[in-house]
Structure formats: structure tokens, C-alpha cells
Amino acid sequence: RLADFVVGSHAASHPHGAQEDQENKAPEEDPDVIPQELLKKYITFAKQTCRPRLHQGDYDKIAIVYSELRRESSVTQGMPIAVRHLESMIRMSEARAAMHLREYVNDDDIDAAIKTMLDSFISTQKLSIQKVMRRKFSKFIVSKQDFEGLALFKLRELLRDARSIEQITGQVQDQGYYNISVRQLEE
């Protein structure tokens, strides 16, 4: 599916190929795919109107990650980290905010930029160094969505257990409501 999209996008951007493809192929309507013309307009609008900036506290968070990563890369004798890595985190967080048409950079933008940069940088290291660095920087790599997904998984597991107990005991409660204690979630 991804390959079809990339090939189709390339063919659509070619001046002669786009006309021939339109005649030969019926367009497939996928609600998740943004038409290329609309995407071009969106990107142009975002470039012209959005200039998101970081606040001082945001710079501090990125600086902390950079300094820890620089210290760790010098200790582990891995690939060195440079100022361009710091600059790339800033640009990625601003670009993500611009994609959302925001005038400010929020924590999610910064966390995504840090995660992307760390994943990329760590993957360039030797395998033994990768393991050490992933453990060391796990607090920056794990996203809020990971915790939400884990909580949802745990709730579904507890709900399944409650339904199993009902079936075994024959005591059917109201299907719309189940009580799950906080203690069960903490376990």
C-alpha cells in the first residue's frame, strides 16, 4: 500500500505520466489519504503563516537531553554528538508545531523531536552501546502514548477477568459498568 502511494505520487507529479494514469486507472478513494493538491496547499499555508517558537523552559529541556547525550557518548566511545544534533531537535519540534498550525511549541512537539533524534542517534551506535544508551535515555524515548496504551491494555485485561469471573460464578452484573479498584491497576 505504501509502495503504491509512493509510485502513484511520483507518477502524479510527472507532467506526462499524470495525464496517462488518470485516463487508464480509476481513482481509488481512501478517506485516510489526503489528495496531493490539498497537501501542497496545506504545506504552503503552514510555511507562510506559522512561525512557532520555543519558550525558555523548552530550550532547557532540550539542553539537558543534549548535555546528557554528549556526556554519555564521550564515556561510551560511541559516535560523537555535535551541536547539529541540538539544532535538529529544535527544528524538528518547531516543524511539528507548524504541521499542527500552532504558533507555539508544546511539550508533545519537544518530546517527539527528542524521541526521533535519540532513536536515530542511538541506532547509529554499536550494538553494545545501543543497549546502554537505550536504558540510559529510556525516560526520553518512552512517550505518553506508550503509557496510555499500557493503561488501556491493563483495563481491558481486568475487564476480561471480571467477565470471566461472572461466567464462572453465574453472578451477572450490569454489563455497562464494572468496578475496578486502583489497587488492581497498581499491581
Side-chain angles (χ1 to χ4, degrees):
R1 183 174 153 168
L2 177 62
D4 290 338
F5 174 75
V6 171
V7 170
S9 177
H10 180 72
S13 66
H14 193 276
H16 301 293
Q19 293 171 350
E20 294 171 8
D21 284 345
Q22 292 291 338
E23 296 168 2
N24 296 337
K25 186 178 177 183
E28 294 179 18
E29 294 297 321
D30 187 355
D32 294 334
V33 175
I34 299 171
Q36 191 170 17
E37 288 303 314
L38 180 61
L39 184 59
K40 285 180 184 178
K41 289 177 184 177
Y42 184 86
I43 291 170
T44 302
F45 178 78
K47 284 181 178 180
Q48 291 174 350
T49 61
C50 291
R51 302 276 186 257
R53 293 286 166 225
L54 287 131
H55 298 290
Q56 185 58 40
D58 301 332
Y59 283 112
D60 294 342
K61 183 175 186 178
I62 292 174
I64 289 169
V65 172
Y66 173 74
S67 63
E68 285 185 29
L69 189 57
R70 188 166 173 86
R71 181 177 33 250
E72 190 65 28
S73 68
S74 67
V75 169
T76 58
Q77 304 298 317
M79 295 283 294
I81 188 154
V83 175
R84 69 176 180 266
H85 294 100
L86 174 65
E87 293 168 345
S88 69
M89 284 188 283
I90 293 169
R91 284 194 307 274
M92 284 190 291
S93 60
E94 289 174 346
R96 188 173 187 273
M99 283 187 341
H100 292 276
L101 302 177
R102 288 194 299 266
E103 292 298 321
Y104 60 91
V105 177
N106 66 21
D107 286 339
D108 291 338
D109 299 326
I110 295 166
D111 292 343
I114 289 170
K115 183 181 184 318
T116 302
M117 201 282 304
L118 282 173
D119 283 340
S120 175
F121 183 77
I122 290 172
S123 69
T124 65
Q125 306 297 316
K126 296 176 187 173
L127 186 60
S128 60
I129 296 172
Q130 282 182 16
K131 291 178 182 179
V132 170
M133 291 185 103
R134 284 201 194 285
R135 198 171 325 120
K136 171 91 175 166
F137 293 101
S138 64
K139 62 184 173 191
F140 298 112
I141 294 173
V142 176
S143 69
K144 181 171 60 172
Q145 293 174 343
D146 295 339
F147 291 118
E148 291 169 355
L150 180 61
L152 183 60
F153 173 78
K154 185 64 177 171
L155 283 171
R156 285 182 178 153
E157 184 179 76
L158 291 171
L159 179 62
R160 188 181 63 242
D161 292 347
R163 287 182 178 163
S164 297
I165 291 171
E166 281 184 354
Q167 288 177 349
I168 292 170
T169 61
Q171 299 173 347
V172 178
Q173 297 177 357
D174 182 11
Q175 292 292 324
Y177 298 97
Y178 285 93
N179 292 327
I180 297 174
S181 70
V182 174
R183 188 168 146 227
Q184 287 177 300
L185 283 173
E186 289 174 345
E187 295 171 352

